[in-house]
Amino acid sequence: MSLDKYLANLDFNTNLLRRFAYLGNREQLDKKLKYLENIAERETWHFKDSRVTKGDEINVLFYYIVHTFDRCFEQDKVLVNPEEDAAVFNTGLLTPAGEEIYGLFVKSMTHDESKEWSNYWYLSKWIVRSDRDFMQLSLAAPKMASYFEDYNELFFDPELEISPNFDHIYDDNFERLPPEMQQMDKSVACQVFNGFLDHTIKRIKRNLRIPVPQFYRGKIMFLIPVKAFGTSPIVLALEKYGNGYRANTILTLNMAYNCARLLMKPESNWLLPKGN
């Protein structure tokens, strides 16, 4: 099979990692993720959330790996050697000793040659550069995925106006609103939300560490916590348009951390996950 043809025929409308390789069954994948968590620098990949089942405890890490691979693939940073039937990508994670961690793919033992695109690659293991399995390959060390060209993109401008599209927030994200707000008429809920947002804007102008950058759909955006009713904050996603920020969606804390962690490890207290 032509490897170039294989890569050219990947379906870009589907998650690239799952199209690129077989990840193993659920038990095998869980073991791989747990191993990666254990060899990487200590980090909380778990959420205390009643909606997250025990089997999905490392869903943040899985989300991170899936989308990191996608970005590496889009930037031609997934290195492939067809002669050695090996491919690698940089996870962006480090071991406690500071070694970069790579994902290693090998040719799948279950690949059916009669079916051109059937499970050619298999996610074999996580390795570091000093690992014997990596050093015996002729592949270079893969580079990290990158998400911005100018560091200024990561700085939130508190002087720009925030314009929320409350109709979209209320109609399309109703279940993510606090229960108290769900019980209100839409017009009343809008006034209450705007009041909470005004308070949040005042806090941001006094603490620029509150907005957290995220990477979503090829753009740098920002997440801010709109505190309401003493419960978990309403996480508002802001996209810069012209001379202002547009807000038309809200996220759960879990979703927000997933999006923010892809770009960098968040340090804002309001977004840090509480370990199980």
Side-chain angles (χ1 to χ4, degrees), residues 2 55 70 141 170 174 184 263:
S2 166
D70 288 2
Y170 188 90
F174 183 80
M184 300 175 182
L263 187 62

Side-chain angles (χ1 to χ4, degrees), residues 1-8 10 16-17 20-21 69 72-90 102-107 120-122 134 137-143:
M1 181 190 72
S2 166
L3 186 60
D4 289 338
K5 188 177 180 183
Y6 168 75
L7 295 175
L10 287 175
L16 290 179
L17 179 56
F20 184 83
F69 175 88
C72 287
F73 191 95
E74 292 166 0
Q75 297 181 327
D76 294 322
K77 293 177 179 178
V78 178
L79 305 185
V80 178
N81 188 324
E83 295 180 357
E84 296 176 326
D85 276 323
V88 292
F89 79 103
N90 193 317
Y102 310 132
L104 173 66
F105 302 95
V106 298
K107 182 177 179 180
Y120 185 84
W121 294 107
Y122 174 70
F134 180 77
L137 299 174
S138 60
L139 291 168
K143 295 181 179 180

Side-chain angles (χ1 to χ4, degrees), residues 87-196:
V88 292
F89 79 103
N90 193 317
T91 67
L93 301 176
L94 296 174
T95 68
E99 287 194 272
E100 294 185 313
I101 302 174
Y102 310 132
L104 173 66
F105 302 95
V106 298
K107 182 177 179 180
S108 174
M109 298 295 292
T110 61
H111 172 63
D112 185 348
E113 295 289 351
S114 67
K115 299 178 181 178
E116 282 193 298
W117 324 118
S118 174
N119 297 342
Y120 185 84
W121 294 107
Y122 174 70
L123 178 58
S124 175
K125 59 189 298 189
W126 312 107
I127 58 175
V128 296
R129 190 166 188 174
S130 62
D131 194 299
R132 183 177 303 170
D133 287 344
F134 180 77
M135 295 188 70
Q136 69 183 10
L137 299 174
S138 60
L139 291 168
K143 295 181 179 180
M144 289 176 55
S146 57
Y147 298 93
F148 52 87
E149 296 181 359
D150 184 350
Y151 280 96
N152 288 323
E153 295 180 55
L154 302 178
F155 293 99
F156 182 84
D157 188 343
E159 298 304 318
L160 298 185
E161 183 179 356
I162 297 176
S163 301
N165 183 342
F166 189 76
D167 284 338
H168 180 74
I169 292 172
Y170 188 90
D171 295 337
D172 295 346
N173 300 279
F174 183 80
E175 72 285 352
R176 297 174 191 167
L177 291 171
E180 297 89 343
M181 200 172 291
Q182 293 180 17
Q183 297 173 12
M184 300 175 182
D185 290 337
K186 186 176 180 179
S187 60
V188 176
C190 180
Q191 295 179 44
V192 171
F193 177 83
N194 287 334
F196 286 131

